[in-house]
Structure formats: structure tokens, C-alpha cells
Amino acid sequence: MWPNMICQLSISGRLVQLLVYTNVTRYLEFKSIEGSFVFKTNGKIYKVPATDKEALSTSLMGMFEKRRFRNLLVYIQDFDENDPKTFKGIDPNKSTMREVYTKFGLDSNTIDFTGHALALYRDDAYIDEPCIETIKKIKLYSDSLSRYGKTPYLYPLYGLGELPQGFARLSAIYGGTYMLNKPDCDIVYGENGQVCGVTSDGETARCKMVISDPTYAKDKVKKVAQVARAICILNHPIANTKDALSCQIILPQNQVNRKTDIYVCCVSSTHQVAAKGFFLAIVSTTVETDNPEQELKPGLDLLGKIEQKFFSVSDVYAPVDDGTKSQVFISTSYDATTHFESTCVDVLDIYKRATGEDFDFSKMKHNTEDEGQQTQN
């Protein structure tokens, strides 16, 4: 259950669009996260600059670097993939992000927080890929920020547990049935190798398709990683966040001499997930050594005094096939990120595997502007 507690939703992101599309947002209320920060090797954290104005005022970089970074942000904001005039010598489908960074003369530190705190990449593999996706991700961050002004992230009041509760209520309207606490669920297959039901406690529910997380189909998944996670109870806000009642901090891999990022998410009574005067901070990363708890130290050090800490290591599983033959479609385990970007990619992948087609956002019947009615600043 711990991974479900730590995620935030990008305001203009695809997952929010999906939630609005399903109409589950009628059962949910959201509140924006107050601060978005990035860690630098000097041990300090800085507000993530996402606009040209913030680029010139940030203390994250020097004077000349500020202007170079501002030029990149202005270029990205003006970029329109349907208007070649906005490309300005860059082929978005062929030019790599490394070439874009070189064109604007950005240094390694600026590249780090641009890729990891704005585009939300988990590693640096994107740098040598076509730049179009990174440009879209940065535009998404800026567009989300412009809608509510504080950060591009939302968090449901009363926690992420409200999401499955909302879908349970929505499912009931359409005749769906939720069966909770069923022990020892086994997937049943027919002679042709396709799923035909799920058995639990002597009862079998017949079906033609199963969509499941890895814990119900361990013969169809493989272990691909581990996630170290510490849930910490604090009685104070995180230092250097201007006493923010909620925030996200990303520690880019190169800033902490790692291969993957470290993530810190902090929420409090403002989101109705902790008693007044207390904070819930979660630090997570992908395990790289035989001492996972020590790997979290850079993030834990940012928290200050910790009243109580709960540490765990979770295995990350991925499906071994696409599920089309058996009609059993398995998701990937939650990763270390504190946002839903990777989870949304997984949801859309399952949709494509199950239906045989991509989800078409352009045909969404529900206006994502409705989301703003369920959001509090």
C-alpha cells in the first residue's frame, strides 16, 4: 500500500485527463502541492524555475546561465510541432536533446534539473533521443504550473486511497462488483491457454479478460528492480521550502553520484493525510547497492529531525509478455517516482494491449477544464 501514498498528479498531465474522462473526479477533491524543488550538489534545494521570469530570478545558476536557460524556456513555450517556423533550425523528430542543450549552451547542472525536475525523466537515456518528447514534457510542466501558479502537481484530499474508492463508486453505477479481501486468488485458463475465470475461496468468477497487478500472476512476471522507500513522520515542515505544507523535491542522479534519482514527497494536514502539526514525508529511490537504506541518506538528510521512520524495500515486477495470447494483462509494479507519469504510461500501455489500439486523447468527450472545479488552490 505504501507506493499508493506517495504519488502526485501533474495538473495538465495525461492521468488527470484520464480521470476527468472517466468522470471519477465527481467523487474526488484535489489540492495543489505548494512547492516543487530540486537538489544541487552543494547540499541546498532550490525552487524549480519553469518560466522565463523565474529563470532570471533563480539562485540555482549564475547570471549568464540564467539567460541561456531563459532562452531555452522561451523557445519551448513558442514551439509548435505543427508550425515548422517555430523549430528554428532544430528538427524535433531527428535532433537529439543533447543537440538542443548544446545549441543553447547549457551547462551540466542546468541539464540535470531540466531533464529530471522539469521533464521528469528518471535517467539520462533521453538525452540522445529525439527532442520532441522532452519539449512536450517541459511544455506540460509549464502549462500545468500556469493553471494554478504554485506547482504543476495535485494531490487528492485524504490521500491516494480516494482514487480506488472513487472508481468503486463509479463502477457500481455501471453494474460493476467489487470483491474485497478475497484470499488466494488464482487465474483459471481454458484448454486454448486463454483465461476463463478467477477462483478464490472455492468460488469462480467467469471472464474473458483479466487485468491485474503482478502479485496475482507471478508466473507471468519477472523481477526487474527494487525500490527503497522510507515513510517518515515529522513535526515540522522541510527546511528551505518557505515552510511549505506540501512539496516535492527531486535529487537528480548526477547531483548525488547515482544512476537514478532520489525523490522526496511531503504532505500534511492541508491534504487531510496527517494530524495538524505533523507532516508525512516519503523518500524513495531505485536500489543500486546492497545497502538500500544508506542510499536514501541524501533525501533523509533534507528532512531534519524525524519523529518516526518506516523503511521498506519492494521488488519491482514487469510482465514477461504482452498478454494478448492469454488475455491476462499485467501491469508493472510502482517505481520510485513521486509522480504518476510512469504509471500513466503503464495504464496507456495496458489499454493498447487489451484493446489493440492507442487511447485517443483528441476524442475525449469530457472537457479537462472541468477538473478545475474539483481542485482547490
Side-chain angles (χ1 to χ4, degrees), residues 267-310:
V267 287
S268 66
S269 59
T270 190
H271 287 94
Q272 308 297 328
V273 295
K276 190 171 183 178
F278 287 89
F279 296 77
L280 191 64
I282 304 94
V283 184
S284 57
T285 193
T286 302
V287 174
E288 297 179 4
T289 71
D290 57 1
N291 190 354
E293 190 167 4
Q294 181 65 23
E295 295 184 48
L296 297 179
K297 188 177 185 303
L300 293 172
D301 288 346
L302 297 176
L303 304 185
K305 183 182 178 183
I306 298 173
E307 297 300 308
Q308 194 161 1
K309 179 176 66 176
F310 304 91

Side-chain angles (χ1 to χ4, degrees), residues 103-121:
K103 178 181 178 66
F104 287 92
L106 301 186
D107 66 24
S108 58
N109 288 326
T110 305
I111 290 172
D112 268 351
F113 85 76
T114 301
H116 295 259
L118 288 179
L120 302 181
Y121 284 108

Side-chain angles (χ1 to χ4, degrees), residues 316-363:
V316 177
Y317 294 98
V320 295
D321 59 50
D322 62 11
T324 53
K325 183 177 181 180
S326 64
Q327 289 297 289
V328 176
F329 303 98
I330 311 298
S331 65
T332 300
S333 304
Y334 288 106
D335 58 28
T337 59
T338 51
H339 48 74
F340 261 127
E341 292 302 304
S342 56
T343 304
C344 184
V345 171
D346 192 31
V347 168
L348 294 174
D349 178 61
I350 293 174
Y351 179 90
K352 182 176 182 178
R353 286 188 278 140
T355 65
E357 58 186 29
D358 291 316
F359 184 84
D360 189 350
F361 284 92
S362 67
K363 294 182 179 180

Side-chain angles (χ1 to χ4, degrees), residues 6 8 32-37 45 151 153 155 234 237-250 263-268 270-271 279-282 302-303 338:
I6 65 171
Q8 302 161 131
S32 59
I33 296 293
E34 291 186 12
S36 178
F37 300 89
I45 61 173
T151 73
Y153 301 113
Y155 192 90
L234 314 177
I238 296 177
N240 302 313
T241 63
K242 295 185 178 180
D243 293 334
L245 296 176
S246 59
C247 67
Q248 170 170 269
I249 306 170
I250 294 179
Y263 301 90
V264 178
C265 171
C266 183
V267 287
S268 66
T270 190
H271 287 94
F279 296 77
L280 191 64
I282 304 94
L302 297 176
L303 304 185
T338 51

Side-chain angles (χ1 to χ4, degrees), residues 219-267:
D219 59 325
K220 292 186 174 294
V221 298
K222 61 181 179 180
K223 178 180 173 181
V224 294
Q226 287 185 305
V227 172
R229 191 173 281 112
I231 297 180
C232 305
I233 299 175
L234 314 177
N235 61 7
H236 57 84
I238 296 177
N240 302 313
T241 63
K242 295 185 178 180
D243 293 334
L245 296 176
S246 59
C247 67
Q248 170 170 269
I249 306 170
I250 294 179
L251 292 75
Q253 58 180 63
N254 294 323
Q255 301 296 317
V256 286
N257 297 316
R258 291 175 50 80
K259 297 177 182 177
T260 52
D261 297 348
I262 299 174
Y263 301 90
V264 178
C265 171
C266 183
V267 287

Side-chain angles (χ1 to χ4, degrees), residues 68-127:
R68 289 190 286 265
F69 177 62
R70 176 188 177 278
N71 291 338
L72 172 66
L73 290 182
V74 170
Y75 169 78
I76 290 175
Q77 284 304 305
D78 293 340
F79 179 88
D80 181 352
E81 62 179 317
N82 297 315
D83 183 3
K85 294 180 180 178
T86 65
F87 296 176
K88 297 182 180 179
I90 294 175
D91 186 335
N93 295 306
K94 293 183 179 179
S95 300
T96 66
M97 202 59 204
R98 186 185 300 277
E99 293 173 311
V100 174
Y101 289 144
T102 301
K103 178 181 178 66
F104 287 92
L106 301 186
D107 66 24
S108 58
N109 288 326
T110 305
I111 290 172
D112 268 351
F113 85 76
T114 301
H116 295 259
L118 288 179
L120 302 181
Y121 284 108
R122 291 176 289 167
D123 55 43
D124 285 342
Y126 79 95
I127 290 179

